[in-house]
Amino acid sequence: MMWRALSADWLKIRGKGLWFLVFLGPLGLTAMQGLNFGLRYDYLKEQYQADLWGGLLSNVAGFVPIALYLGGTLVCSLIANVEHQMSSWKQLLALPVSRTAVYMAKLLLCLLLLVCSCLLLSAGTLALGLLLGFGIQAIPYADILRLGFASYAGALPIIALQLWLSVSSRNQTFPVAAGITLSLLSLFSMYLSEWMPLNWPVLAWEAESPWLFIASGLLLGLLMILPGAVHFARKDVD
Amino acid sequence: MKSTVITTNGLRKVYRGRAAVEQLDLNIGQGEIYGFLGPNGAGKTTTIRMLLGLIQPTSGDIQIFGKELRKHKLQILRRVGSLVESPSYYGHLSAADNLEAIRRILDVPKARIAEVLDIVSLTGEEKRPVKGFSLGMKQRLGIAAALLGSPELLILDEPTNGLDPSGIQEIRSLIKRLPAEYGITVLVSSHLLSEIEQMADTVGIIRQGTMIYQDTIAHLQEQAAGELRLTVSEPEAALKLSSLSGCGGSLQESRIVLPRMSDARVALLVRELVENGHAVYRVEEHRQSLEQFFLQVIEGGIS
């Protein structure tokens, strides 16, 4: 049942700017580093002499968490807005499909789109590194893949929360404002405890034991789905 | 006896301490067009949302196709098509894609899309984005979406709201065709009596969340039949007489106005008048328009 809802959602997001956003994030990040390395090529090459690829990855990685937060916020809001816009929830939910399936389909769609973004980020970074002549032999494939996905896992709790907020309120001002606020806070929350979920995307990439934060992100993300799905299944639809 | 499709028992919905629907007992028989009538804000939409499982009743129960809605929601919804209030659509998609998005959830054959487009006469428009459609076309698309799953019960909330006269006419004739051609039971709500009168077989009138009238349209028309007016030579003297006879008439613009009564009673009254030397100029039955009757019902003047 969820797959049928997902297949319908897949159709509905056509022409809604979601795919544009999915491409914009990773390509924007890559382009930014292209500019960074392009302008200061000699200086940076000297600085990262020992590990050119590592240098590139760490530069990109600095922006991945906030890009994930902002991107996740917008993707969730746009997906929810497809139904909010012409009050289609009432039509959708009067169909013979369970609310849980509808909610999970939305979540899955959101997650899939962000997976696309992460893959694009890896591809873009790989292309950039090759373009900068960092050499084929030294390509750290695992790290390039981990670049997007490790932080993604760490960001899951916030993404699940954002979907819940966006689906719950017709007016998207609050959910989007909340998402942006959280994104900005995440820049400063590093000074607080490691146990702040807001920090996990960063820690999932650069902490000494990143797996701890990746696992925590996955776990809390899963837990965050629960209240959202339960609330959605019970709420009155106007 | 026709089998019933929808039965509700003591249905009640409370919003922030205010009862939007109170003790509502609906009874809708198979194959009929049931007109759900009431002024704006009377609780029609709230009731319809409860019937579709969009909102939870505070108390009371709903049975559709003889099954408890709470327990068999998806099974029931599979056999129900609906259009709730303002049309829901995805403006950026074409009419065909709008239906396709719903079809994927209903899992019916693709050919069904062309069929329903044909029923609502939107064939030829299916490739255009829906945001460019007129309100009437959007509303017809909504009905097409409701018909997509070949429902046995169609629930339409204010389907003609905001349409121009020709749009209203189109939707109305479409709705009237459904029971005859496809054996569909239709529940249609409206705040306009004339609408319901022209479509429905049975009418339920709701006021302030409570059902105040539920019977056939024919019976409603009968009840609306008004009063007897007598024009006589000396109305005041005559009134005393007829009042004495116990009819409880009154004098309005030098005419005697009497409540509706049987033919035999009227004959008796006229004979009495004539025997007492009154000249009877006119005996008229004044039929109150259904609209007036409706207002009277809505204002709570009828028991």
Side-chain angles (χ1 to χ4, degrees), chain B residues 127-160:
Chain B
K127 296 269 185 278
R128 278 210 289 145
V130 175
K131 60 185 165 205
F133 277 21
S134 70
L135 185 61
M137 290 166 79
K138 284 172 186 162
Q139 206 69 305
R140 275 186 286 153
L141 178 65
I143 295 182
L147 290 170
L148 201 57
S150 313
E152 293 157 59
L153 167 66
L154 199 59
I155 297 180
L156 306 171
D157 189 16
E158 304 263 7
T160 55

Side-chain angles (χ1 to χ4, degrees), chain A residues 4 7 12 14 90 236, chain B residues 13 86 90 92 104-105:
Chain A
R4 282 190 271 143
S7 133
K12 289 181 214 167
R14 228 192 255 166
K90 54 183 160 61
D236 284 354
Chain B
K13 177 70 183 179
S86 57
Y90 306 105
H92 59 295
R104 288 188 183 177
I105 291 176

Side-chain angles (χ1 to χ4, degrees), chain A residues 98-213:
Chain A
S98 82
R99 294 212 187 171
T100 315
V102 170
Y103 191 80
M104 292 310 282
K106 300 276 177 217
L107 180 74
L108 211 59
L109 179 65
C110 175
L111 296 180
L112 280 174
L113 290 174
L114 291 173
V115 164
C116 293
S117 286
C118 287
L119 284 173
L120 276 167
L121 180 71
S122 299
T125 310
L126 179 65
L128 180 64
L130 290 174
L131 204 67
L132 291 169
F134 290 171
I136 297 182
Q137 288 80 19
I139 296 174
Y141 289 106
D143 278 347
I144 287 180
L145 262 185
R146 203 166 60 87
L147 177 66
F149 286 104
S151 298
Y152 185 18
L156 279 176
I158 302 293
I159 291 169
L161 174 74
Q162 280 300 322
L163 185 74
W164 181 14
L165 292 181
S166 280
V167 165
S168 303
S169 81
R170 198 193 157 92
N171 183 341
Q172 291 297 300
T173 318
F174 169 67
V176 172
I180 292 176
T181 311
L182 285 175
S183 313
L184 295 178
L185 276 178
S186 76
L187 295 178
F188 305 102
S189 60
M190 281 318 292
Y191 305 108
L192 299 173
S193 153
E194 291 191 329
W195 292 108
M196 282 280 291
L198 215 48
N199 298 331
W200 293 353
V202 177
L203 295 166
W205 168 255
E206 61 176 34
E208 270 171 43
S209 45
W211 291 107
L212 189 63
F213 297 99

